[in-house]
Amino acid sequence: MERLQKVMAAAGVASRRAAEEMILEGKVKVNNVIVRQPGFPVADDDTIIVDGNILKKETKVYYIMNKPKGYLSTTSDDLQRRTVVDLIPGKERIFPIGRLDYDTTGVLLLTNDGDFMNALIHPRFKVEKEYHVKVTGLLRKEDSSRIGKGMNLGDFISQPAKVFDVRYDDTKTNSYAKVIISEGKYHQIKRMFEMVGHPVIKLTRARFGNMTCEGLKQGEFRRLKPHEIKQLWNLSCFGRQGE
Ligand code: URA
């Protein structure tokens, strides 16, 4: 069940506030009965009529994308830079779930389901995210273990992370590593490596929970399968309420 004004807003008839006004003014019918109560719960199969027109409800869509470099993880940009949303044609108003930096590639989920998005970006949602990094210089054991223990990044202390599969390039100039964190603070991976003196040159998110970009080239996307959506709901803070 969803709140009436929320369904109206998602269908693009009006903002939530304006939808509430319309409901109070008696312009909205649910199953042919005028409803004057904002917040009235409606089910998927209820027929909603607004000002005499049947409301076309927005269907919920869920995507996984392999985010390419040079795209913002936002819906629009004042500077007219390209956004990840531009890559997915369709009439639904979708949003990225969390952010990847402009120059970061890899797993990004997008949806028009606000509840799903909120459940996955909630601070209680502590799902693993695996990143693959290329950093300047040779990453030593002590650097990895500092990152691994959790570190003071000024405005917050990162939780313990797992750094593994460290290797050096042929000329021993740069290093590659894999990192797993369960948080998602702004520029977190870049700040952690910067802090140990090895700025990030290249960053990819290889995994979000159990989702990877297998089979997707950069810039490609696909719809999530029903069982994948279910698994993510189960991992989310709502799925974990009993813990
Ligand atoms: N950490 C970062 O620094 N950047 C990202 O895009 C994701 C995680």
Side-chain angles (χ1 to χ4, degrees), residues 131-140 142-148 151 153 158 161-166 175-181 187-204:
Y131 293 90
H132 295 179
V133 291
K134 178 179 181 186
V135 300
T136 59
L138 301 184
L139 196 69
R140 307 282 179 193
E142 51 274 26
D143 303 320
S144 300
S145 75
R146 263 184 80 196
I147 293 176
M151 55 204 316
L153 292 175
S158 64
K162 190 173 167 200
V163 184
F164 60 110
D165 276 2
V166 176
S175 311
Y176 297 90
K178 297 179 180 168
V179 198
I180 297 178
I181 56 173
H187 289 336
Q188 180 162 344
I189 298 285
K190 290 181 182 164
R191 288 163 70 194
M192 292 191 315
F193 283 91
E194 179 94 49
M195 201 69 159
V196 294
H198 297 283
V200 169
I201 303 172
K202 212 169 166 188
L203 181 60
T204 297

Side-chain angles (χ1 to χ4, degrees), residues 114-122 124-125 233 235-238:
D115 292 333
F116 184 72
M117 181 169 80
N118 289 335
L120 297 189
I121 59 174
H122 195 281
R124 270 187 60 202
F125 176 65
W233 264 122
L235 279 180
S236 81
C237 60
F238 294 132

